[in-house]
Amino acid sequence: MRVVSLVPSLSEAIARSAPGALVGATDWCTHPADLDVTRVGGTKNPKLDRITALAPDLVIANEEENREPDLAALREAGLEVLVTEVRDVPQAFLELARVVEACGVARPRWLDEAEESWSALTPPARRRTAVVPIWRRPWMVLGRDTFAGDVLSRLGVDHVYSGHEDRYPRVPLEELRAAAPDLVVLPDEPYRFTPEDGPEAFPGLPCALVSGRHLTWYGPSLAEAPRALGEALRAARR
């Protein structure tokens, strides 16, 4: 199999599960760290000519991360495109199994370990509310029906805008502060929030700086995500 992946987390999953199959990936596909494949541009602006030149047997995409016109153009060029949809943790496991199967390899051990990590979670002693910015200038937060929102919910954190009509609404900073959440969750992607860039906007509120890979990626990182995110969320209480 020759596979091109347009989704960072799925690139990592394929590289781990089907060594040698991945021949192309986006510029944002940073894991594994030694991934040595042809780069085909970004998730929103892939270089279609470079992808077709690789003559892949399969292109892996996601309905949220990639644009339909690009996927349609790849199909018109005669390429097979598998499009995933991931809105919660159980769906992530189903789609990961589908991707691995499409790549022609057996179910990997890391996928079993990831499922075990999430099935072993105990119900949190208490639930907390949070706002979860994913961008600033303008401020954008998690809204309805998102994978990251489901991840946090399973860890006992209910984000304030889970019922918003938009999946990633733009919300003024004053409104975020007025929501009076128990804490603010600041991932390091897509916007790279840091101790110096983000917490200062929410004076008086505990801020949890978390790994965006653990919060938003569905792949091998799912196995360690409950522990890593749990530690970061607990640290915000201090």
Side-chain angles (χ1 to χ4, degrees):
M1 288 285 291
R2 292 175 58 82
V3 180
V4 170
S5 171
L6 302 180
V7 186
S9 56
L10 295 179
S11 295
E12 181 180 16
I14 296 165
R16 283 277 303 271
S17 308
L22 198 64
V23 296
T26 75
D27 300 338
W28 302 109
C29 296
T30 57
H31 287 75
D34 60 351
L35 184 62
D36 184 18
V37 297
T38 298
R39 299 297 174 164
V40 298
T43 56
K44 304 296 186 187
N45 56 346
K47 301 182 184 301
L48 304 183
D49 56 345
R50 193 173 295 178
I51 296 172
T52 55
L54 288 170
D57 301 299
L58 183 65
V59 177
I60 303 292
N62 175 264
E63 51 87 29
E64 179 177 57
E65 295 200 45
N66 308 119
R67 301 186 316 124
E68 177 54 35
D70 293 325
L71 305 183
L74 292 172
R75 294 189 186 96
E76 290 172 5
L79 300 181
E80 181 178 352
V81 180
L82 186 158
V83 182
T84 58
E85 178 182 331
V86 177
R87 302 294 177 87
D88 57 34
V89 172
Q91 192 176 27
F93 291 131
L94 291 174
E95 290 290 64
L96 284 165
R98 185 163 73 103
V99 167
V100 169
E101 181 179 4
C103 291
V105 295
R107 181 182 174 92
R109 175 58 188 158
W110 67 258
L111 185 52
D112 291 331
E113 292 172 349
E115 288 206 57
E116 290 165 5
S117 293
W118 285 94
S119 64
L121 281 178
T122 56
R126 71 180 183 93
R127 303 194 67 83
R128 292 178 289 164
T129 60
V131 293
V132 190
I134 58 168
W135 203 259
R136 67 183 303 177
R137 305 182 194 95
W139 287 93
M140 299 175 65
V141 298
L142 290 185
R144 65 169 178 84
D145 195 23
T146 64
F147 171 74
D150 186 60
V151 165
L152 290 172
S153 178
R154 292 169 187 272
L155 296 172
V157 176
D158 302 310
H159 65 96
V160 173
Y161 293 93
S162 60
H164 198 281
E165 62 180 356
D166 297 327
R167 298 187 66 213
Y168 302 101
R170 296 185 180 188
V171 182
L173 179 58
E174 296 74 16
E175 183 178 327
L176 296 181
R177 292 169 174 164
D182 296 320
L183 75 159
V184 180
V185 178
L186 298 170
D188 61 9
E189 63 174 82
Y191 186 91
R192 187 172 181 79
F193 289 105
T194 69
E196 295 75 33
D197 185 358
E200 82 290 343
F202 301 93
L205 285 175
C207 290
L209 291 158
V210 303
S211 160
R213 178 168 168 262
H214 289 130
L215 180 62
T216 65
W217 286 36
Y218 32 89
S221 59
L222 277 171
E224 60 194 41
R227 176 193 56 78
L229 292 172
E231 290 176 355
L233 293 170
R234 286 191 293 272
R237 281 189 272 187
R238 300 194 184 101

